[in-house]
Amino acid sequence: MADVLMLDSSIPEQHDGLLDDPTIDWLDARLADGRQELPALVAFHHPPVELHLPSVDGIRQFGEDRLARVLHRHPRVAALLCGHSHTPAATTFAGRPVLVAPGVVSTVTLPCEGGRGISFDHPPMLAFHVLDDDARLTTHYRVVPE
């Protein structure tokens, strides 16, 4: 069992993201509630870090320092889950794993892969997350069969 806290990082009429002050306050309050024995997963659309993808890094989640301060106060957060980047990726932020969901329609390609930075030729993928009784998170990335 875990708390799964889903946040809206979208900004109307913009491509980049931000967790506004009321959202940050809500997250801080939920993480501080009486469920301290449960690990928590925090999910939002925009990654709060650069992924070294030029087409995505300029439209990631900004204002991430506020999120980092909340995470440092709440060690029960096991991981951050996000999407937006259309590529399976894993990194860290504020000492936590950040697991990025792959694209289901298109895939953003790495600069070393050449091309125009986005491909509609790659198959769609999904990420399956398993949080075990030791609060260890394992993620499996799978291609969706055609």
Side-chain angles (χ1 to χ4, degrees):
M1 185 179 255
D3 282 335
V4 179
L5 304 167
M6 297 185 291
L7 312 175
D8 184 1
S9 62
S10 64
I11 305 170
E13 316 255 339
Q14 290 186 217
H15 295 288
D16 58 325
L18 176 77
L19 297 176
D20 62 16
D21 289 337
T23 301
I24 289 288
D25 293 344
W26 180 88
L27 175 63
D28 198 21
R30 295 297 72 73
L31 290 170
D33 78 6
R35 298 166 57 106
Q36 295 302 306
E37 73 283 1
L38 293 180
L41 300 173
V42 178
F44 36 72
H45 188 69
H46 300 81
V49 294
E50 289 186 358
L51 298 176
H52 306 284
L53 296 168
S55 61
V56 174
D57 288 340
I59 55 172
R60 67 181 182 83
Q61 182 186 138
F62 293 97
E64 67 277 9
D65 54 321
R66 295 158 35 258
L67 175 61
R69 285 192 295 273
V70 170
L71 295 175
H72 288 304
R73 285 194 294 273
H74 301 286
R76 72 187 190 102
V77 175
L80 306 172
L81 310 176
C82 62
H84 186 63
S85 301
H86 292 251
T87 189
T91 187
T92 59
F93 174 76
R96 305 306 197 296
V98 176
L99 300 168
V100 183
V104 295
V105 173
S106 61
T107 299
V108 172
T109 56
L110 296 167
C112 64
E113 293 176 292
R116 55 182 200 219
I118 190 163
S119 172
F120 294 92
D121 298 328
H122 289 77
M125 294 180 73
L126 297 172
F128 294 95
H129 305 292
V130 179
L131 187 65
D132 67 21
D133 292 338
D134 294 325
R136 181 179 300 114
L137 182 66
T138 302
T139 299
H140 300 272
Y141 293 100
R142 292 293 183 262
V143 171
V144 176
E146 295 188 33

